[in-house]
Amino acid sequence: MGEFCNRNNIKTVIFTNGILLYKYIHLLNDNFNLLININKLNENNKKLLLKSLDMCNTLKWFLTNQVTLGCNLYSLNNDYSYFWEIVDRYKEIKQVRMSITAPVMNEDKKDKFLYYNKMKPILLSFLKEAEKRNLKISYDCN
């Protein structure tokens, strides 16, 4: 895949949770960008993710924006400290991606409006955390 992208000057974005990335990072080159969604992790998976992110950091991929960390706001629980803990570990990060996940609901638009209305304080809290860190936010979907 890497050779094909090089030969044809194709840029590819890989969406991943990053847990096993360290095993395959040697296959990637400048034609690959990574979007690594950070979710709550058990301790073992967190170690694996950090191993992958440390490798990305060593390769300077945070500085070149070849790697973006993402967070999906999916719960009315406002605790995304697990995400900020990882972001804070890598001072080179200047941008993060966020999305408010779309609820699976019936066709009643009122239900969706109420859901998004309840998500407003969570979104604002997330944006304030990003602002504290002087991070640019990119939005995804929804």
Side-chain angles (χ1 to χ4, degrees):
M1 175 94 162
E3 289 177 28
F4 176 81
C5 290
N6 279 340
R7 219 176 18 255
N8 296 290
N9 198 26
I10 296 172
K11 281 281 207 183
T12 303
V13 178
I14 298 173
F15 295 85
T16 179
N17 64 11
I19 292 170
L20 297 178
L21 178 63
Y22 70 93
K23 290 183 176 185
Y24 305 100
I25 204 163
H26 67 281
L27 299 173
L28 303 179
N29 57 35
D30 291 344
N31 286 328
F32 291 89
N33 288 340
L34 298 169
L35 173 55
I36 302 173
N37 279 317
I38 308 295
N39 301 306
K40 279 193 176 181
L41 301 165
N42 63 42
E43 281 305 310
N44 186 55
N45 285 345
K46 183 177 177 182
K47 283 181 191 176
L48 296 175
L49 172 63
L50 292 176
K51 182 176 181 176
S52 295
L53 294 177
D54 287 346
M55 291 175 84
C56 291
N57 194 40
T58 299
L59 293 166
K60 309 279 188 226
W61 286 354
F62 291 123
L63 285 173
T64 61
N65 293 322
Q66 193 166 343
V67 174
T68 301
L69 301 184
C71 186
N72 297 316
L73 307 182
Y74 63 91
S75 167
L76 296 178
N77 175 1
N78 198 17
D79 182 15
Y80 291 96
S81 58
Y82 63 90
F83 178 77
W84 298 116
E85 176 187 329
I86 291 173
V87 169
D88 290 342
R89 181 179 170 115
Y90 303 99
K91 301 298 181 202
E92 297 81 0
I93 295 174
K94 302 296 180 217
Q95 175 176 319
V96 294
R97 188 224 36 104
M98 60 82 44
S99 173
I100 298 174
T101 57
V104 177
M105 297 182 173
N106 61 30
E107 294 298 315
D108 186 359
K109 290 185 181 3
K110 182 180 175 189
D111 287 345
K112 288 184 181 180
F113 175 78
L114 293 173
Y115 169 80
Y116 286 117
N117 206 28
K118 288 178 184 176
M119 291 299 288
K120 280 183 191 177
I122 294 160
L123 172 62
L124 290 174
S125 174
F126 189 89
L127 294 175
K128 285 178 185 176
E129 289 296 321
E131 183 179 44
K132 279 186 210 175
R133 292 162 175 84
N134 216 17
L135 294 171
K136 181 180 173 185
I137 299 281
S138 63
Y139 299 95
D140 194 354
C141 303
N142 310 323

